Amino acid sequence: DAVKKANEDFLLAQLKYRQQEQGPWVKGFSDIFREWIRKAKNAYIEYAAAFPNATFLVRQEMERNIEFQRFLDQARNHKLSNKLGWDTYLKAPITRLQHYGLLLSTVHKNMREDSEEKANLHTAIEEIRIVTLECDARVAEMSRKGELLDLGSKLILRPGMKGV
């Protein structure tokens, strides 16, 4: 919810306003992306940190609840889902952040002349890249912790041995 709100409030609304203000061709948008990533940073990092646990909980529920697994299978097989699995949708905000960086890099590469907008766009790309790397690090860190907890719960000690 925090990621969605940050995107709606600080990216979508600002881009729509700029388009209405300047007409169909927008001359500059790097300032919008720079402002957005600064305000959305914490929401994305919190989402990335919670992602591995959310994935674990969904998998755990699938193992315990046949109806839930059946529901996810039906959703995946529905024509509107394009046969994408549930984890695709859970990871979508993190993937979207990576796509923004790639999209803006393509725009930056295809800008013809050096300008203040091009320099600001480069800065926006770097700020998004830093947040993306932080999100990736959080996902990796929390995944390791989750794997350790999972292994710890599966570990069966011999009688007389104490757990660590």
Side-chain angles (χ1 to χ4, degrees), residues 7 14 31 57 92 107 118 123 125 142 151:
N7 287 339
Q14 298 301 322
D31 58 319
L57 292 173
V107 171
K118 188 170 184 176
T123 305
I125 293 166
M142 297 310 286
L151 288 173

Side-chain angles (χ1 to χ4, degrees), residues 3 7 11 33 36-37 44 47-48 51 88 90-106 124-140:
V3 170
N7 287 339
L11 187 59
F33 277 93
W36 162 75
I37 197 62
Y44 272 96
Y47 187 90
F51 172 75
T88 304
L90 202 57
K91 192 172 182 168
I94 299 168
T95 306
R96 185 179 310 117
L97 188 62
Q98 296 165 342
H99 287 173
Y100 284 148
L102 292 172
L103 177 66
L104 293 176
S105 292
T106 302
I125 293 166
E126 284 303 308
E127 290 174 4
I128 291 171
R129 187 182 66 78
I130 289 167
V131 174
T132 302
L133 291 174
E134 176 71 21
C135 287
D136 291 346
R138 290 289 173 95
V139 168

Side-chain angles (χ1 to χ4, degrees), residues 37 39-40 58 65 85 89 110-111 120-121 136 153 155 158:
I37 197 62
K39 292 182 177 176
V58 170
N65 187 340
Y89 301 103
N110 290 310
M111 291 178 95
N120 284 337
L121 186 59
D136 291 346
S153 69
L155 185 64
R158 288 185 278 167

Side-chain angles (χ1 to χ4, degrees), residues 37-132:
I37 197 62
R38 290 176 187 150
K39 292 182 177 176
K41 177 182 179 178
N42 290 334
Y44 272 96
I45 290 172
E46 288 172 14
Y47 187 90
F51 172 75
N53 188 47
T55 303
F56 172 75
L57 292 173
V58 170
R59 284 197 174 112
Q60 190 177 46
E61 187 64 25
M62 283 175 57
E63 290 173 5
R64 287 189 290 190
N65 187 340
I66 296 287
E67 288 299 316
F68 183 67
Q69 184 176 5
R70 201 172 292 143
F71 165 75
L72 291 177
D73 289 342
Q74 287 173 350
R76 183 189 64 233
N77 292 332
H78 193 275
K79 66 177 183 177
L80 293 177
S81 74
N82 294 325
K83 302 220 185 266
L84 297 173
W86 58 268
D87 53 337
T88 304
Y89 301 103
L90 202 57
K91 192 172 182 168
I94 299 168
T95 306
R96 185 179 310 117
L97 188 62
Q98 296 165 342
H99 287 173
Y100 284 148
L102 292 172
L103 177 66
L104 293 176
S105 292
T106 302
V107 171
H108 183 267
K109 184 177 80 176
N110 290 310
M111 291 178 95
R112 293 201 174 117
E113 68 268 348
D114 287 339
S115 64
E116 184 179 342
E117 176 63 20
K118 188 170 184 176
N120 284 337
L121 186 59
H122 179 72
T123 305
I125 293 166
E126 284 303 308
E127 290 174 4
I128 291 171
R129 187 182 66 78
I130 289 167
V131 174
T132 302

Side-chain angles (χ1 to χ4, degrees), residues 14-43:
Q14 298 301 322
L15 287 172
K16 281 185 174 183
Y17 178 77
R18 181 73 54 92
Q19 187 177 29
Q20 289 172 352
E21 186 180 73
Q22 294 183 1
W25 305 109
V26 177
K27 291 184 181 78
F29 51 83
S30 61
D31 58 319
I32 295 171
F33 277 93
R34 288 184 70 190
E35 187 69 24
W36 162 75
I37 197 62
R38 290 176 187 150
K39 292 182 177 176
K41 177 182 179 178
N42 290 334

